[in-house]
Amino acid sequence: MFAGIELIAVVKANAYGAGAPAFARELDGGGADRFAVVWVAEGTALRAAGVTRPILVLGHSFPEDAPEAVRAGLTLTCHSLELGEALSREAVAQDRPVAVHVKVDTGLHRFGLPIDAAVELATALRSLPGIEVEGLTTHMANADEEDDSFAETQHALFAEAVARLPWIPYRHTANSATALRREPLRYDAVRVGLALHGVLPPNTPGPELRPVLALRARLGRVADVAPGEGVSYGLTWRAAQPSRVGLVPVGYADGWRRNLGNTGSVLLNGHRCPMVGRVCMDQFLVDVTGVAGAAEGSLVTLLGRDGADRITADDVASQAGTISWDILSSLQARLPRLYARGGLVESIA
Ligand SMILES: *Cc1c(COP(=O)(O)O)cnc(C)c1O
């Protein structure tokens, strides 16, 4: 799809809930050219997991991070001369050159330097021993909005930075939405996170993607509730008729949002079963009244496909009042992760 352009696989936040070690190892074997995370600690964890390709740290690093970053062979986004000097000292001491990228703040005003300061820093970093100024980058403010005219403003500023720093070889600006929607912003590499999981950002046309992640659980207790009786904390849902409720052992501590209570649903044996009552820390209830075969041990789908029906991260995000990135990256480490290829589970983490 992006011939001649590198793919930087963004695997921050435990690879958006998919489990960074396994997800990155898979792409390290082929598919990704590089990886990106946000913290130095995320990068060193990837190295410990055996990832060998370059790892770019996108976020704000501190001078104290330099020894660890150089030892792990990480590439840092460098925002200050102080950080650059700390990296240079470590690179010399460890006899291991370190690559840095300079980020231009073209309007998001989150991280990076205004263009003049970015040019000045890049020029100063260039003369430090052990430092290679490899990359020039920026980040888009409204890549997936219907009206993204601001992207033109940002692109013009970035193009100016590129023209003033022609000796920096590796330029990148594009997240999933920008990569798919704005070809001129692809430059030398695209930083793709969400789309790697088979989920497209809003307002983003793309190829038909299949979500790589499903969330399933087994029903615990299945019990009758008489008309008028309530379920879960606060008894916010009461049975209007003789009902059966099933216990799903996933809660907000697993990342299943509390505000999905009385709003979301799960799939069970081809039925859509409403979530009833409040979501607890470790469990919630679903109304399985009339669902044939609903019993302890039945498989319920919170995210993913069940027969002809499916629940997507976007569905859950709109019910929870958030975005698909948030739903996926909220899935906590406590949830066991089963990695399958061709329908067969190969490993569990
Ligand atoms: C998270 C992130 C990305 C990836 O964004 P997606 O929309 O998930 O593709 C790219 N660049 C930066 C700087 C990020 O923080």
Side-chain angles (χ1 to χ4, degrees), residues 10 12 16 38 58 103 110 138-139 173-177 191-195 201 325:
V10 181
K12 62 189 177 184
Y16 292 42
V38 168
L58 299 168
K103 184 162 193 169
R110 184 176 75 174
T138 192
H139 195 52
T173 77
N175 55 8
S176 296
R191 303 187 301 264
V192 179
L194 189 70
W325 291 262

Side-chain angles (χ1 to χ4, degrees), residues 230-239 256-265 273-279 284-287 319:
V231 305
S232 195
Y233 291 128
L235 307 175
T236 59
W237 180 86
R238 284 179 191 275
W256 203 246
R257 300 305 251 268
R258 189 167 178 275
N259 65 359
L260 291 169
N262 291 318
T263 301
S265 53
C273 301
M275 293 171 61
V276 290
R278 287 191 183 146
V279 175
F284 65 87
L285 293 147
V286 289
D287 183 356
Q319 286 161 351

Side-chain angles (χ1 to χ4, degrees), residues 145-166:
E145 280 170 26
E146 204 87 64
D147 172 13
D148 54 2
S149 50
F150 189 61
E152 298 295 343
T153 310
Q154 289 192 272
H155 190 183
L157 267 176
F158 187 70
E160 185 191 334
V162 167
R164 288 170 67 181
L165 298 164

Side-chain angles (χ1 to χ4, degrees), residues 3-298:
I5 294 169
E6 282 203 357
L7 174 67
I8 304 175
V10 181
V11 294
K12 62 189 177 184
N14 203 20
Y16 292 42
F23 195 81
R25 268 199 302 264
E26 177 68 22
L27 291 171
D28 201 33
D33 297 293
R34 299 173 181 232
F35 293 94
V37 293
V38 168
W39 296 346
V40 166
E42 290 182 301
T44 52
L46 282 188
R47 284 281 181 255
V51 168
T52 56
R53 291 176 195 262
I55 299 171
L56 169 64
V57 176
L58 299 168
H60 184 111
S61 303
F62 295 90
E64 306 89 278
D65 295 323
E68 193 183 336
V70 173
R71 205 171 303 120
L74 306 180
T75 305
L76 262 54
T77 305
C78 183
H79 63 279
S80 74
L81 193 56
E82 192 192 1
L83 175 61
E85 285 169 346
L87 287 168
S88 172
R89 273 195 301 278
E90 274 304 315
V92 170
Q94 295 187 30
D95 192 19
R96 185 169 189 168
V98 59
V100 297
H101 292 201
V102 171
K103 184 162 193 169
V104 188
D105 180 1
T106 54
L108 178 60
H109 295 135
R110 184 176 75 174
F111 188 38
L113 294 164
I115 184 161
D116 288 341
V119 171
E120 191 182 324
L121 176 66
T123 309
L125 292 172
R126 193 182 191 188
S127 62
L128 293 179
I131 298 274
E132 181 206 349
V133 185
E134 174 192 53
L136 187 64
T137 177
T138 192
H139 195 52
M140 295 290 126
N142 51 2
D144 58 21
E145 280 170 26
E146 204 87 64
D147 172 13
D148 54 2
S149 50
F150 189 61
E152 298 295 343
T153 310
Q154 289 192 272
H155 190 183
L157 267 176
F158 187 70
E160 185 191 334
V162 167
R164 288 170 67 181
L165 298 164
W167 50 271
I168 301 184
Y170 192 77
R171 288 97 19 115
H172 52 99
T173 77
N175 55 8
S176 296
T178 307
L180 288 163
R181 299 182 64 201
R182 304 187 73 86
E183 198 171 336
L185 279 162
R186 289 179 192 164
Y187 284 88
D188 301 303
V190 291
R191 303 187 301 264
V192 179
L194 189 70
L196 290 181
H197 300 269
V199 180
L200 287 174
N203 298 313
T204 301
E208 186 71 23
L209 298 179
R210 199 153 48 92
V212 300
L213 180 145
L215 177 60
R216 297 200 168 88
R218 293 200 176 276
L219 276 190
R221 187 178 91 130
V222 178
D224 292 317
V225 182
E229 289 181 332
V231 305
S232 195
Y233 291 128
L235 307 175
T236 59
W237 180 86
R238 284 179 191 275
Q241 53 176 36
S243 300
R244 270 178 92 63
V245 296
L247 183 68
V248 179
V250 176
Y252 61 76
D254 301 295
W256 203 246
R257 300 305 251 268
R258 189 167 178 275
N259 65 359
L260 291 169
N262 291 318
T263 301
S265 53
V266 303
L267 303 175
L268 166 58
N269 295 346
H271 294 263
R272 212 166 248 261
C273 301
M275 293 171 61
V276 290
R278 287 191 183 146
V279 175
C280 308
M281 186 181 285
D282 316 290
Q283 47 207 319
F284 65 87
L285 293 147
V286 289
D287 183 356
V288 299
T289 309
V291 177
E296 181 181 334
S298 295

